[in-house]
Amino acid sequence: MTTTPHPARRVLISLLAAAGLVGAGALTVAHDPTPSANLSSTYDSQARQRAEVVAERRPHSHPGVGGITAALDDGHGHVHDPATKNAISRSGEAATAPDPTTPRQRAASRARAEAQRTLAEPRLTEVPLRSKRRVVPESRYAMAGGCYTLGGRPLTFQATGLGTYLLYAADRTFLAASSGDTTTWAAAPSPDADWTVRGAGRGRFTFTLADGRALRRTASGVGMGTAEPFALRRTEGCAAFPEVETNVDGRPFGGATSFQEVRGYVDPHVHGQTHEFLGGRVICSPPFHKYGAAAALVDCPDHQLADGRGALLEDVLAGHAPGTGHDPVGWPTFSYWPNPHSLTHQQVYYKWLERSWRAGLRIHTSLLTENHILCTVYPLKKNSCDDRDAVRLQAKDMRAMQDYIDAQYGGPGRGWYRIVTDPFQARKVINQGKLAVVMGMETSVPLGCNVQLGRPTCTEEQMLTELTEMKQLGVSQMELTNKFDNAFTGVAGDAGTIGPLTNSANFLSTGSFLRMQQCPASNPPGTEDRLQSPNLGDLGGGQQQTPIGGAQQDAIFGAIWKLFGDVGVQPAPVYPAGPHCNQLGLSPLGQKLLSAMIDQKILFDPDHMSVAGRNAALDYLEQQQAAGRSPGVVSSHSWSTPDAYPRIYRLGGFVAPYAGDSTGFVEKWRQHLGWTDSRYYFGFGFGSDMNGFGAQGDPRGAGASNPVTYPFTGLGGVTVDRQRSGERVFDVNTDGVAHYGLYADWVEDAEHVAGAEGGALAADLSRGAEAYLQTWERAWGLAPDSCRNPGLRTSVRTFIRAADPGLRARALMRRVGQPWQRLGREFTYCATKPGRERVLMTVELSRGGTVVGVRRG
C-alpha cells in the first residue's frame, strides 16, 4: 500500500522546496533588516482595521433576498463571505442552492423542533472539580497542584506526569539537583527538577530523578543521596504555578444518574494533535507540555529566524507578503497570536479546551489527520509523511494528553478529558460532568488505500485489517477522503486559485488529475463539486459560474504550494464549462468500507466526498437501513452539499455546521431547523475545525448593538469571565474566537445575534450532545424510540415481558430500543393496546441502572 509519492519524485519535491525556503529566507533578511519593533506585533491593530468593515463583510440579507442566499448575496451582484465559512455549505457553489424542501415541510420541521424543546429537562447536578484535598496525601498522585511542606519550605507540587512533579517555591524557583550531594533552587524547570514520587508508608514519600539520584534529609533541609522518605503535610504560603487560566467559576454539571439524558455542547470536528501534522513543523507548539504554558506556548523555530521574519508560511496564510513577520513571543504576552486568522499557531492548548468544557462543552471529536503530499512538499519536518504513521502518532499523543490531565487532577481516571469508544461510555462520562473525547480520522488516503492510475493500492483484506487496527486504536468517526481522490471515493476538490494547486497535488498523489465534467442535467441546482480552472467558461466557451468571492477553500494548501510546491507538474486539462462534478464516485471498495464501518460501529462522515461519491454512499446506507442494518452518519463541518443534509437527518444522523462567525452560524441553524426528521431527537452542534487551518469567528466589534457582557452565565449556571492567558486578556467582542477557550463566549455571542430566538438556539445547542449520542447508539444497533416511531411499538403485555426486573439499562435498550425520555432513573417508552395506539410506559431503574419495575403512564 502506497500513500507517498514515488521516491524519485519525493526527492525532487524536497530539494526544490528546501531551496525555495533557504532562498526566500535569505532574500527576506537581505531585503529588510529592520528590528522587531516594526513587526506586526499586535493582533489588536489588525482587529480594529477589520472592525471598520466588518458590517459590510459579514453575511447579511437585503430587501427581497431570502432562503439560503440571504446569508450570502448582497442583492447587487457580489457576496460577503470570502472564505465561505458562513455558508450553509463550504462546498462553494453549492452554498447558493435552493432549499431542497418545501415551505410546508420546513414549517412542520420547525414546529417539531419547538415541540421537543418543551419536553421535561433532565435534572443536572453540580460535580466537584476534583476530590477533596486531604491534610495528608492519600497517594503519590493526590498532591498535584497542592501546597505541602518539604524540607521546611512550602512547595507547590506541579504535576509533570502521573506521579512526577516540579517542586515550585514561593520565590518562583524550582528544587533541583546540583553537583555532588547538594540541591539548588533553579530558575527554570529541567530534568534535574522533575521528581518521581513513590509512596513509603502513610503520608511518607520518596523523591527520585530519572537518573536515579534521590532526595535525602539534611540538617539544613534536603540534599542528594540515598532516597529517604519525607512526611508531607498540607500547608499554606505557596506560589501559584504560572499557567493559563480558565476564568470560569462554579462547579461543572453532571447528571443525577449515569444513564440519563445528557446536556452539553458538541463539536465533532477539531484537530487536537495537529502539532504532529505535515511532518510536525507547521503548527507551532503542542497542546500541553509537562513544564506548563511557558514551555508549550512558544513560537516555531523558523518563525523566530531573522527577528520574527522567518514565518513565511504564517505570512502567506495571513495574507501578508513573505517576510512581513510578526512578534514571535507567545507566553506570556501573546501580542500577535493566538488570533482567528493565525493558522500556524496552537489554538487548542489544554487549558483553553478546559475552559470550554467548564462552560458546557461535553463532546469533542479530535480528528487524526495528515496530507502526505503537503507533508512531502513542506521542507521542515520531524515525522513520517505516511498517513497511517501520522494517525498512530496522534492517537498516542491523545492518550498522553489524557494521562497528563489525569495527573493534574489527582491520578489515573480522575481528569476531565476522557477518551471514549462507545456511546454508553460517553453518556456515563458526560453524566459524571466530564468531557467525552471521540477519536476521529480525516485523511486523504485513509487506511493506506490510495489509487494510482485508476488502480487501488490496497486489497479488500488489507483495508479490513487497517480498519480493525483503527478501531482498536480508538477511532469511532471517520471521513473517506479529505483533499484527493483515493481508492474509496472521488473528492469534491477546491475552486478559485487553490483549485489548480490541489488538482496538481491530486496528480502527484494518484497519477491523475480530477475527472471533472459538467454535472448531469438531472442534478438539482447546487448539487455539484468545486468549479475547476482552466475551463471553457473561463475562455468564453460556455456559461461560467463564479465561485463565491473567488473563495480560497484551503488556505494551508495554497500557502504551502505557493511557497514550496512548484515541482514542474504538467498543467491540468482544460475542463468544460461548469457546473462541475467529479466523475469518480464511490468505488466498489468504498462500498465495502462503508459496510465494514457499519459492522465496526464507526460513524461515517460524508464531508469532502464528490457529489457522486456522497450520493452513492447515502443511497447505499439507506438501502442498508431498510434491510435492518444500523449505519451512523455525522456531517461535521459543512463540507457536504445542501441536498445531503435532509437525507442525513432521515438516516437518523447528526449535522454540525462549520462554526465560522456567530452571525453566519445563526443563519445556518435557522436553515437546518427546516430539515429535521420526525422520527428522531433533534439537537445541534458546531464544527470548529480549529487547528485544521479553518478560519475562526471574527469579532462583531465592541460597537455591536448587543455585545457579550462579562461576566455571563454559562451552561449549568457557571460564571464565565474574560479569559486571561499570561498577560493577555481575551474578549470575544474584540478578539473573536482567538483560541478554543473562546467557544464558550462565541456561543453566548450567537445567542445575542439570534435575538428573540436566542433561547431556542441555546436549547438546541445544549441538546446537541444528546442528539449525537443517540445517533451513535443507533450505530451500535439500538432501535429508535417507539414514541416517535409508531411502527416500532409492541403491545403493553409484550413490552412488560421484555422489561425484565434486573435487566441492565443497555440490555433493556437492546430489547425495546431507545427511550423517548430518560429522566433520572426513569425511561419512558410507547406501547399499544386495543383501542389505543399510544400508551406511555415507564421503566423504573435502580441507581445502578437495573430494571426494578414497569408502570403505565
Side-chain angles (χ1 to χ4, degrees):
M1 294 182 286
T2 303
T3 62
T4 54
H6 186 277
R9 187 184 302 156
R10 187 164 64 247
V11 170
L12 172 63
I13 293 171
S14 296
L15 288 174
L16 289 172
L21 177 66
V22 173
L27 288 172
T28 299
V29 174
H31 172 68
D32 187 1
T34 52
S36 59
N38 293 325
L39 292 175
S40 300
S41 61
T42 66
Y43 172 66
D44 297 334
S45 61
Q46 298 172 10
R48 284 194 296 271
Q49 294 170 10
R50 283 196 293 272
E52 294 174 359
V53 295
V54 71
E56 186 64 13
R57 286 181 60 248
R58 186 181 302 135
H60 60 279
S61 60
H62 292 253
V65 180
I68 297 177
T69 57
L72 302 170
D73 192 336
D74 73 348
H76 48 267
H78 66 277
V79 294
H80 292 264
D81 193 9
T84 74
K85 66 180 177 180
N86 296 317
I88 195 70
S89 169
R90 292 170 79 192
S91 192
E93 298 81 2
T96 58
D99 194 311
T101 58
T102 67
R104 184 175 180 179
Q105 290 171 328
R106 291 194 292 275
S109 176
R110 292 179 67 93
R112 285 194 297 268
E114 175 60 31
Q116 288 200 25
R117 297 184 202 115
T118 66
L119 295 175
E121 285 288 304
R123 184 169 69 88
L124 303 180
T125 61
E126 292 186 351
V127 178
L129 271 173
R130 59 166 295 149
S131 300
K132 185 176 180 180
R133 194 178 300 280
R134 301 178 184 177
V135 174
V136 176
E138 66 272 26
S139 73
R140 62 191 291 251
Y141 311 113
M143 59 277 286
C147 180
Y148 299 91
T149 300
L150 179 70
R153 297 186 63 168
L155 298 175
T156 298
F157 278 58
Q158 177 61 32
T160 60
L162 287 166
T164 58
Y165 298 91
L166 300 173
L167 304 180
Y168 187 59
D171 62 358
R172 292 173 170 75
T173 59
F174 300 86
L175 179 61
S178 186
S179 58
D181 60 358
T182 63
T183 59
T184 189
W185 295 97
S190 71
D192 284 340
D194 196 349
W195 303 95
T196 297
V197 176
R198 296 182 176 87
R202 187 178 184 277
R204 295 164 62 82
F205 301 89
T206 61
F207 296 78
T208 308
L209 296 175
D211 61 9
R213 291 180 293 168
L215 285 183
R216 64 179 179 86
R217 292 188 298 275
T218 67
S220 59
V222 294
M224 302 300 297
T226 302
E228 295 180 355
F230 289 80
L232 295 183
R233 296 292 184 275
R234 199 176 64 195
T235 190
E236 297 179 347
C238 290
F241 185 78
E243 187 53 273
V244 166
E245 300 174 27
T246 63
N247 303 106
V248 178
D249 289 329
R251 290 182 169 187
F253 64 87
T257 66
S258 64
F259 43 83
Q260 72 171 41
E261 187 172 322
V262 302
R263 285 293 176 265
Y265 308 134
V266 53
D267 180 356
H269 199 105
V270 194
H271 295 277
Q273 306 297 328
T274 42
H275 65 294
E276 306 283 17
F277 174 56
L278 299 180
R281 297 295 189 196
V282 171
I283 294 284
C284 304
S285 73
F288 74 95
H289 190 287
K290 65 180 182 177
Y291 296 157
L297 296 175
V298 296
D299 217 335
C300 291
D302 56 305
H303 288 204
Q304 300 178 45
L305 294 174
D307 199 19
R309 291 187 175 81
L312 307 183
L313 183 57
E314 171 69 15
D315 286 340
V316 174
L317 285 168
H320 303 146
T324 300
H326 65 269
D327 182 353
V329 178
W331 175 273
T333 56
F334 297 111
S335 67
Y336 171 73
W337 63 275
N339 73 67
H341 299 276
S342 177
L343 304 183
T344 66
H345 293 102
Q346 179 62 248
Q347 292 178 290
V348 195
Y349 183 62
Y350 91 97
K351 293 295 288 187
W352 292 330
L353 174 59
E354 180 176 348
R355 172 180 165 91
S356 281
W357 158 66
R358 291 279 303 275
L361 184 73
R362 288 299 180 269
I363 296 179
H364 169 94
T365 300
S366 187
L367 294 159
L368 316 173
T369 189
E370 187 54 273
N371 184 301
H372 62 288
I373 294 296
L374 285 187
C375 179
T376 304
V377 167
Y378 194 66
L380 306 176
K381 60 181 66 70
K382 62 183 177 68
N383 300 330
S384 166
C385 291
D386 186 287
D387 292 48
R388 293 163 295 166
D389 291 340
V391 164
R392 295 180 187 112
L393 176 60
Q394 291 168 37
K396 180 180 178 181
D397 287 349
M398 285 181 66
R399 301 285 179 187
M401 182 164 161
Q402 179 174 259
D403 288 346
Y404 179 78
I405 294 173
D406 279 356
Q408 310 310 309
Y409 277 82
R414 297 199 175 190
W416 49 267
Y417 180 97
R418 311 310 313 155
I419 297 171
V420 296
T421 56
D422 66 58
F424 315 104
Q425 183 186 22
R427 185 177 297 278
K428 181 177 180 180
V429 162
I430 295 170
N431 278 318
Q432 290 172 341
K434 300 183 179 185
L435 179 66
V437 180
V438 180
M439 193 179 292
M441 188 166 74
E442 180 188 36
T443 70
S444 292
V445 188
L447 312 179
C449 291
N450 205 351
V451 60
Q452 291 284 341
L453 299 176
R455 296 175 179 269
T457 61
C458 69
T459 65
E460 180 182 353
E461 181 180 4
Q462 290 171 326
M463 177 267 288
L464 293 174
T465 299
E466 292 283 339
L467 184 67
T468 298
E469 181 190 349
M470 292 301 101
K471 178 68 175 180
Q472 293 171 346
L473 204 62
V475 171
S476 299
Q477 180 182 313
M478 178 176 159
E479 296 176 35
L480 265 59
T481 188
N482 179 233
K483 283 294 150 191
F484 309 138
D485 294 337
N486 58 41
F488 304 127
T489 183
V491 71
D494 287 299
T497 57
I498 301 299
L501 307 182
T502 53
N503 203 357
S504 295
N506 192 82
F507 177 86
L508 287 176
S509 180
T510 69
S512 303
F513 290 105
L514 296 174
R515 295 166 53 191
M516 294 288 186
Q517 297 294 326
Q518 279 197 337
C519 296
S522 58
N523 277 20
T527 306
E528 59 193 85
D529 293 319
R530 301 312 316 278
L531 189 70
Q532 298 298 300
S533 293
N535 65 65
L536 293 179
D538 294 333
L539 304 175
Q543 184 177 359
Q544 177 67 49
Q545 296 188 10
T546 303
I548 294 176
Q552 302 288 315
Q553 283 299 296
D554 196 327
I556 185 63
F557 210 110
I560 287 182
W561 205 267
K562 179 178 179 179
L563 288 169
F564 312 116
D566 185 4
V567 294
V569 176
Q570 66 186 46
V574 176
Y575 291 101
H580 287 167
C581 284
N582 192 339
Q583 301 303 291
L584 188 60
L586 184 71
S587 70
L589 189 62
Q591 188 176 105
K592 291 176 181 176
L593 172 58
L594 288 177
S595 180
M597 288 173 66
I598 295 174
D599 292 339
Q600 295 273 22
K601 304 174 178 62
I602 296 174
L603 295 168
F604 161 61
D605 187 340
D607 286 6
H608 288 292
M609 294 177 74
S610 65
V611 163
R614 181 168 50 253
N615 283 346
L618 295 178
D619 288 345
Y620 175 74
L621 296 180
E622 288 165 353
Q623 294 165 6
Q624 296 305 299
Q625 187 183 66
R629 299 183 74 193
S630 303
V633 186
V634 172
S635 175
S636 65
H637 67 321
S638 298
W639 261 99
S640 290
T641 45
D643 61 293
Y645 298 131
R647 298 183 68 183
I648 293 169
Y649 284 121
R650 288 196 296 270
L651 279 163
F654 181 82
V655 181
Y658 183 49
D661 298 339
S662 58
T663 49
F665 182 80
V666 170
E667 292 304 316
K668 285 180 274 193
W669 165 70
R670 288 171 175 153
Q671 191 70 41
H672 277 267
L673 285 178
W675 294 334
T676 69
D677 191 284
S678 62
R679 298 168 295 170
Y680 304 108
Y681 184 102
F682 179 73
F684 209 53
F686 56 86
S688 69
D689 204 6
M690 190 167 271
N691 274 10
F693 302 102
Q696 299 301 306
D698 280 319
R700 289 194 295 130
S705 61
N706 53 349
V708 171
T709 55
Y710 293 92
F712 61 86
T713 301
L715 192 58
V718 296
T719 300
V720 184
D721 211 337
R722 290 176 179 84
Q723 196 281 319
R724 176 178 288 276
S725 297
E727 298 172 12
R728 179 72 186 272
V729 177
F730 291 92
D731 183 324
V732 74
N733 298 300
T734 54
D735 296 309
V737 187
H739 59 67
Y740 201 80
L742 291 167
Y743 266 106
D745 314 55
W746 176 89
V747 168
E748 178 74 7
D749 193 43
E751 292 174 20
H752 286 223
V753 169
E757 295 180 293
L761 173 62
D764 289 350
L765 287 173
S766 73
R767 293 161 57 87
E770 178 64 32
Y772 183 98
L773 288 186
Q774 291 201 20
T775 290
W776 199 3
E777 285 178 342
R778 291 189 289 271
W780 275 72
L782 299 189
D785 78 82
S786 54
C787 294
R788 296 185 182 93
N789 295 266
L792 297 178
R793 294 173 194 167
T794 65
S795 69
V796 169
R797 179 176 296 180
T798 300
F799 183 88
I800 292 174
R801 282 202 302 262
D804 287 336
L807 204 63
R808 296 197 65 80
R810 182 171 172 181
L812 171 70
M813 291 188 290
R814 282 200 297 266
R815 288 191 181 184
V816 297
Q818 294 176 309
W820 177 50
Q821 289 188 289
R822 319 179 199 209
L823 301 177
R825 297 187 340 199
E826 295 183 347
F827 284 3
T828 305
Y829 293 88
C830 288
T832 64
K833 73 175 186 177
R836 289 185 62 183
E837 291 299 316
R838 185 177 188 267
V839 179
L840 286 180
M841 305 294 296
T842 299
V843 179
E844 299 176 17
L845 299 107
S846 68
R847 176 164 286 285
T850 59
V851 175
V852 296
V854 182
R855 71 174 191 271
R856 299 185 190 184

